[in-house]
Amino acid sequence: MTLTMRRALLFLDVDGPLIPFGGTGYRQGPAPQGNECDPGGDFPGSNPLLARLDPGHGARLTALGCDLVWATTWMGDANEYVAPRIGLPVLPVVAWSDPAEEDERADEDERAGLHWKTRALVGWAAGRPFLWVDDEITPADRAWVAAHHPAPALLHRVDPRTGLTDRDFAALARWLRDHQ
């Protein structure tokens, strides 16, 4: 097993953790121009919320020493529009299944209060330790992961009004020190 295979995964959501919904968020200087912005004005490149990204988050996430994976509805667009703005390389992306293919399971999960991402992330982790950073994690998700995932996992809920803060980064680093 290689060193990379033993490292924990960090599943990262965009809306909420990286793009906070409260206040005005991070903004320094003029809006991105040229290649940094979708010239056609279509979402997501021209999304005004991209100005809320903190360009320092990429270095802080990388410094955690785990394998970063996008776990967001932005899908591959996170690599095109978010990663360059915060200094991250191209990251793997969790591909979500088509809800129509799993209607019965989705209905069961919804009744149990389980987030629609939970099963997919446990499957993607394939037994590796992982952290999941999202603003929609519930106690039901934590309980389901504890019962169905053999390795350590931290489901870290971020306040969507503020996005990732120093306190969040400290909690992630502490968990990684204890579980890697």
Side-chain angles (χ1 to χ4, degrees):
M1 186 182 277
T2 66
L3 179 61
T4 300
M5 290 303 290
R6 285 182 260 167
R7 287 172 28 135
L9 297 164
L10 190 157
F11 293 116
L12 185 60
D13 186 28
V14 171
D15 294 317
L18 294 178
I19 298 177
F21 298 125
T24 58
Y26 185 88
R27 176 130 179 132
Q28 292 231 343
Q33 300 296 317
N35 292 337
E36 296 179 59
C37 214
D38 180 340
D42 293 331
F43 177 82
S46 63
N47 184 338
L49 296 179
L50 289 171
R52 295 182 179 187
L53 290 167
D54 182 335
H57 279 350
R60 293 185 79 180
L61 289 163
T62 301
L64 291 170
C66 52
D67 294 336
L68 303 173
V69 179
W70 292 119
T72 175
T73 56
W74 282 69
M75 305 282 297
D77 287 338
N79 280 320
E80 186 172 349
Y81 299 108
V82 177
R85 285 177 166 83
I86 64 172
L88 287 176
V90 171
L91 302 176
V93 178
V94 175
W96 310 114
S97 62
D98 181 359
E101 295 173 8
E102 298 185 20
D103 277 342
E104 188 174 319
R105 180 177 281 170
D107 289 344
E108 175 186 320
D109 288 349
E110 186 176 333
R111 284 191 300 275
L114 197 63
H115 194 286
W116 60 269
K117 293 180 183 177
T118 306
R119 285 182 190 266
L121 297 181
V122 167
W124 214 95
R128 287 174 66 181
F130 74 86
L131 305 97
W132 174 18
V133 175
D134 204 306
D135 61 311
E136 297 180 344
I137 294 169
T138 68
D141 300 305
R142 289 185 180 96
W144 195 91
V145 170
H148 295 90
H149 186 65
L154 173 67
L155 281 64
H156 185 78
R157 186 183 181 284
V158 172
D159 184 339
R161 295 168 298 178
T162 60
L164 282 167
T165 64
D166 290 343
R167 177 176 278 161
D168 296 309
F169 280 105
L172 300 174
R174 189 171 38 256
W175 187 90
L176 284 163
R177 275 193 307 274
D178 294 343
H179 295 92
Q180 282 204 117

